[in-house]
Amino acid sequence: MIENSYYTHEHHGEYELVSIGELQLEEGGVIPDCQLAVATFGELNAARDNAILVSTWYSGTHQIWRDAYIGPGHALDPSTYFIVVVDQIGNGLSTSPHNATGANAGIAMSGFPHVRIGDDVVAQERLLREHFGIETLQLVTGGSMGAQQTYEWAVRFPEKVERAAPIAGTAQNTPHDFLFTKALIDTITCDPGFAGGEYTSHEQVVDGLERHAGIWAVVGFSTEYFKTEAWRSLGFETVEQFMEQFLEPYFTAMDPNDLLTMAWKWQRGDVARHTGGDLAAALGRITAKTFVMPISEDMFFPVRDCAAEQALVPGSQLRVIDDVAGHLGLFGVSAGYMPQVDALLSELLATPA
Amino acid sequence: MIENSYYTHEHHGEYELVSIGELQLEEGGVIPDCQLAVATFGELNAARDNAILVSTWYSGTHQIWRDAYIGPGHALDPSTYFIVVVDQIGNGLSTSPHNATGANAGIAMSGFPHVRIGDDVVAQERLLREHFGIETLQLVTGGSMGAQQTYEWAVRFPEKVERAAPIAGTAQNTPHDFLFTKALIDTITCDPGFAGGEYTSHEQVVDGLERHAGIWAVVGFSTEYFKTEAWRSLGFETVEQFMEQFLEPYFTAMDPNDLLTMAWKWQRGDVARHTGGDLAAALGRITAKTFVMPISEDMFFPVRDCAAEQALVPGSQLRVIDDVAGHLGLFGVSAGYMPQVDALLSELLATPA
């Protein structure tokens, strides 16, 4: 375990750490004491049937959902729903390489086992059932890797998911995304300060993390985002400022091993693991009312790929979010993004299950 | 100067090295003895008015033009035209960091000066005039950085360019491309073997060059190229083979400083330097019959950006090349690519100047 002040209540506000006990992983490893960071909003009703589950994306935490997506006036309204945001394993708040200690000391840092999307979903289901007594979900949603988890939920536990809204992500990771993620991984592992994952401070890998941010800028936004200088809406006056004061600090605060754990998981997201590689059969299991919600300018989860999967989900609808920001529009950087998401999620939530 | 067997006649066939003497550079540096590698095809006619100029792209040489674009049955037919392919400064065949010797010894390796697109065009114009006696060109064409040079020719020497065909490139580099190129640069400069540009063999930078190839895979092709496994047409059975036997060897053979020289140049391509930053005014100077030819799936010179510039070129036409390979379709990896290029260039060449 190493210190990293980013992964604290000071930076992430209120959240609870809930142990779900030992978690056997699909790849054969074990997390002896799997702790999930959970932030909840609203109240669970007496029937325990007003819950919404949100999962997190690569590098993300519950924080962005709390700040941008959840609250009065949003579709995710705590006055109606009990909204549970579960930080994914390896994101630095839930059990992760950098914070493995106590019973998890044996899997710290470079010793952390491979975790799959399915492991997260199994852990989340156990958390909801054992800790909250929740057996059905009004909605499962998430962006990017959160979309991967959303699809995994809808395929693995179809009877528990009334509605699903995978945003800007796929059920089966694409070969292009595998290469993109590899390029992201390489920025970290090639840094001499990474030391095979046994650095003593994430600051020793700052160069790698800055390069990581650099690749995110190229593929995570869109050509048009930079062409139109849309970053000005965030208060920056030059693209250099945007990088040095926004995207680079975002990543250089993070733990390299944690990012790598998520990257490995992202690369291998695939619901067809349930059906011997048959994606149509896997997606055909979904009974949730589903809105597939890609972002128009997404360069690596393009609308085309999302639409191809949507066509395999029974009764689903393709609802494209128009945003020049591309994939990282997920952060709500464009003024037009959240109103579209809210309208779509509200419509979906109003659809009888 | 260091040895690199890639930049030899064994790998690049016939070409001539022509000295154009001292070249004063826009950024203030000097190449004491600027040598341009030149491959010609066909015969210059007595009127010296049947010449076509081709310039090269990032990492490219005359080789790909000879092998894929030029010959009987192609628009670039040596039985009709005298086709001059000039390797860009810094590409490893023309004067470049790794081969600077003799009079150029003072600018070898990390001491190489910054070169701009305009410097290449000035050098090429001098070469054509002084060495070949050519004053007008039936066509100037090139892909990517070759498109940058094509636009520069058409703006700088409008009276000399009868027709122009910028393929998959822009007249003014975009901010997104600047970031993309920065990510490419970073893969090399962060390699400890790079040693500030003073390595003694490019093989010391092989890790960086492999990462370089990795980013090219992500942005240089298209999501759909990998989704459809279009690389199978090149004879590979897995995407790993495609990387390890095609894209990685392509770049690991090259000289890091040479690539950096081209990358710096690419980042700053901008015809509006002639008009105080007014792109419309610069492109308005063009009198050549111009086909602007983006590639449909290009992720970093998207059709949209090319179309915006085309709209500023008097009398020009936008002619999109349909290719799932994206930008690196330039290599002719898709069966449908060259027939489209040949048809477009033939039509352009048949258009009265």
Side-chain angles (χ1 to χ4, degrees):
Chain A
M1 168 161 182
I2 62 174
E3 293 298 319
N4 184 322
S5 65
Y6 177 70
Y7 303 107
T8 59
H9 289 282
E10 184 189 348
H11 278 84
H12 283 90
E14 284 191 39
Y15 60 90
E16 189 182 2
L17 270 179
V18 182
S19 171
I20 59 160
E22 180 183 282
L23 185 66
Q24 299 277 347
L25 302 168
E26 290 185 27
E27 290 292 309
V30 178
I31 298 177
D33 177 27
C34 183
Q35 301 202 28
L36 297 178
V38 186
T40 66
F41 307 87
E43 302 292 332
L44 186 61
N45 63 14
R48 299 179 182 279
D49 67 358
N50 70 328
I52 289 175
L53 175 68
V54 176
S55 54
T56 62
W57 56 67
Y58 180 79
S59 82
T61 69
H62 62 272
Q63 187 175 34
I64 183 71
W65 283 85
R66 179 196 67 208
D67 294 347
Y69 290 76
I70 297 170
H74 287 295
L76 304 184
D77 187 340
S79 70
T80 305
Y81 298 104
F82 179 59
I83 303 156
V84 183
V85 189
V86 184
D87 289 284
Q88 68 168 294
I89 297 167
N91 88 330
L93 296 178
S94 294
T95 296
S96 303
H98 98 273
N99 67 17
T101 183
N104 294 329
I107 58 167
M109 302 296 280
S110 66
F112 206 76
H114 288 313
V115 182
R116 280 188 175 271
I117 293 290
D119 296 317
D120 272 283
V121 169
V122 164
Q124 290 160 9
E125 193 274 341
R126 195 193 298 177
L127 170 84
L128 292 178
R129 184 166 35 81
E130 296 185 350
H131 187 74
F132 292 107
I134 295 171
E135 294 284 352
T136 62
L137 292 159
Q138 288 298 322
L139 170 68
V140 178
T141 190
S144 201
M145 285 187 73
Q148 290 183 312
Q149 293 166 73
T150 298
Y151 275 118
E152 180 75 19
W153 260 98
V155 169
R156 188 184 278 258
F157 301 116
E159 74 286 359
K160 295 197 168 204
V161 184
E162 302 278 16
R163 298 172 192 82
I167 305 173
T170 54
Q172 182 177 65
N173 199 40
T174 67
H176 176 269
D177 270 23
F178 192 96
L179 292 169
F180 169 40
T181 316
K182 181 176 184 301
L184 290 170
I185 290 169
D186 286 349
T187 61
I188 291 173
T189 56
C190 80
D191 192 320
F194 179 65
E198 294 299 328
Y199 50 87
T200 55
S201 163
H202 70 285
E203 293 177 2
Q204 292 161 1
V205 197
V206 65
D207 292 343
L209 293 168
E210 282 185 3
R211 290 191 297 271
H212 200 83
I215 294 184
W216 269 108
V218 175
V219 187
F221 292 95
S222 74
T223 57
E224 198 70 358
Y225 187 73
F226 292 104
K227 187 87 171 193
T228 59
E229 301 188 345
W231 40 260
R232 288 187 186 276
S233 73
L234 301 175
F236 301 110
E237 297 190 356
T238 66
V239 69
E240 291 77 18
Q241 274 188 356
F242 171 72
M243 290 301 299
E244 291 166 11
Q245 297 174 29
F246 180 72
L247 207 55
E248 290 177 3
Y250 177 74
F251 282 109
T252 56
M254 294 182 189
D255 182 79
N257 281 319
D258 294 0
L259 290 172
L260 295 180
T261 296
M262 289 184 277
W264 192 96
K265 192 195 300 182
W266 166 10
Q267 287 184 302
R268 291 162 182 83
D270 183 7
V271 296
R273 286 164 55 78
H274 292 290
T275 50
D278 186 336
L279 181 62
L283 292 175
R285 292 185 179 181
I286 296 176
T287 55
K289 299 289 179 192
T290 303
F291 279 6
V292 171
M293 295 163 55
I295 298 174
S296 58
E297 294 275 351
D298 197 317
M299 290 182 74
F300 63 97
F301 286 118
V303 171
R304 177 166 52 192
D305 288 351
C306 298
E309 292 186 341
Q310 178 269 319
L312 301 175
V313 179
S316 66
Q317 297 184 43
L318 180 71
R319 296 300 188 92
V320 180
I321 302 164
D322 184 42
D323 192 348
V324 72
H327 189 76
L328 295 182
L330 283 170
F331 285 84
V333 291
S334 300
Y337 174 82
M338 272 315 303
Q340 293 178 77
V341 171
D342 278 328
L344 291 170
L345 293 183
S346 294
E347 180 183 343
L348 180 59
L349 284 165
T351 305
Chain B
M1 168 162 181
I2 62 173
E3 293 299 319
N4 184 323
S5 64
Y6 178 69
Y7 303 107
T8 58
H9 289 282
E10 184 189 348
H11 278 83
H12 283 91
E14 285 190 38
Y15 60 88
E16 188 181 4
L17 271 179
V18 182
S19 172
I20 59 159
E22 179 182 283
L23 185 67
Q24 299 277 347
L25 302 168
E26 290 186 25
E27 289 293 309
V30 177
I31 298 177
D33 177 26
C34 183
Q35 301 201 29
L36 298 178
V38 185
T40 65
F41 306 87
E43 303 293 334
L44 185 61
N45 63 14
R48 299 180 182 276
D49 67 358
N50 69 330
I52 289 175
L53 174 70
V54 176
S55 53
T56 62
W57 55 68
Y58 180 79
S59 83
T61 69
H62 62 271
Q63 187 175 35
I64 184 70
W65 284 86
R66 178 196 68 207
D67 295 348
Y69 289 76
I70 297 171
H74 287 296
L76 304 185
D77 188 340
S79 70
T80 306
Y81 298 104
F82 179 59
I83 303 156
V84 183
V85 189
V86 183
D87 289 285
Q88 67 169 294
I89 297 167
N91 86 332
L93 297 178
S94 293
T95 296
S96 302
H98 97 273
N99 69 16
T101 184
N104 294 329
I107 58 167
M109 301 297 280
S110 67
F112 206 76
H114 288 314
V115 181
R116 282 190 174 270
I117 293 289
D119 295 317
D120 273 282
V121 169
V122 164
Q124 290 161 10
E125 192 274 341
R126 195 193 299 177
L127 169 86
L128 292 177
R129 184 166 35 80
E130 296 185 352
H131 186 73
F132 293 106
I134 294 170
E135 293 283 353
T136 63
L137 292 159
Q138 288 298 322
L139 171 68
V140 178
T141 189
S144 200
M145 284 186 73
Q148 290 183 313
Q149 293 166 74
T150 298
Y151 275 118
E152 180 75 20
W153 260 98
V155 170
R156 188 183 279 259
F157 301 115
E159 74 287 358
K160 294 197 169 206
V161 183
E162 302 278 17
R163 299 171 192 82
I167 305 173
T170 52
Q172 182 177 64
N173 199 39
T174 66
H176 176 269
D177 270 23
F178 192 95
L179 292 169
F180 170 40
T181 316
K182 179 174 185 300
L184 290 170
I185 291 169
D186 286 349
T187 62
I188 290 172
T189 56
C190 78
D191 192 321
F194 179 66
E198 293 299 328
Y199 50 87
T200 55
S201 163
H202 70 286
E203 293 178 0
Q204 293 161 0
V205 197
V206 65
D207 292 343
L209 293 168
E210 281 186 4
R211 291 191 296 270
H212 200 83
I215 295 183
W216 270 108
V218 176
V219 188
F221 292 95
S222 73
T223 58
E224 198 70 357
Y225 187 74
F226 292 104
K227 186 89 170 192
T228 59
E229 300 188 346
W231 39 261
R232 288 187 185 277
S233 72
L234 301 174
F236 301 111
E237 296 189 357
T238 66
V239 70
E240 290 76 18
Q241 274 187 358
F242 170 73
M243 289 301 299
E244 291 165 12
Q245 296 174 29
F246 181 72
L247 207 56
E248 290 177 3
Y250 176 74
F251 282 108
T252 56
M254 295 182 187
D255 183 78
N257 281 319
D258 294 0
L259 290 172
L260 295 180
T261 296
M262 288 184 279
W264 193 96
K265 193 196 297 181
W266 167 10
Q267 288 184 302
R268 292 163 181 81
D270 184 5
V271 296
R273 286 164 55 78
H274 294 288
T275 49
D278 186 336
L279 181 63
L283 293 175
R285 292 185 180 181
I286 295 177
T287 55
K289 299 289 180 192
T290 302
F291 279 7
V292 172
M293 295 164 55
I295 298 175
S296 58
E297 293 275 350
D298 198 317
M299 291 181 74
F300 63 96
F301 286 117
V303 172
R304 177 168 50 196
D305 288 350
C306 298
E309 292 186 341
Q310 179 269 320
L312 301 175
V313 179
S316 65
Q317 296 184 43
L318 180 71
R319 296 297 187 96
V320 179
I321 302 165
D322 184 42
D323 192 349
V324 73
H327 190 77
L328 296 183
L330 284 169
F331 284 84
V333 292
S334 301
Y337 174 81
M338 272 313 304
Q340 293 178 75
V341 171
D342 277 328
L344 290 170
L345 294 183
S346 293
E347 181 183 341
L348 181 59
L349 284 165
T351 305

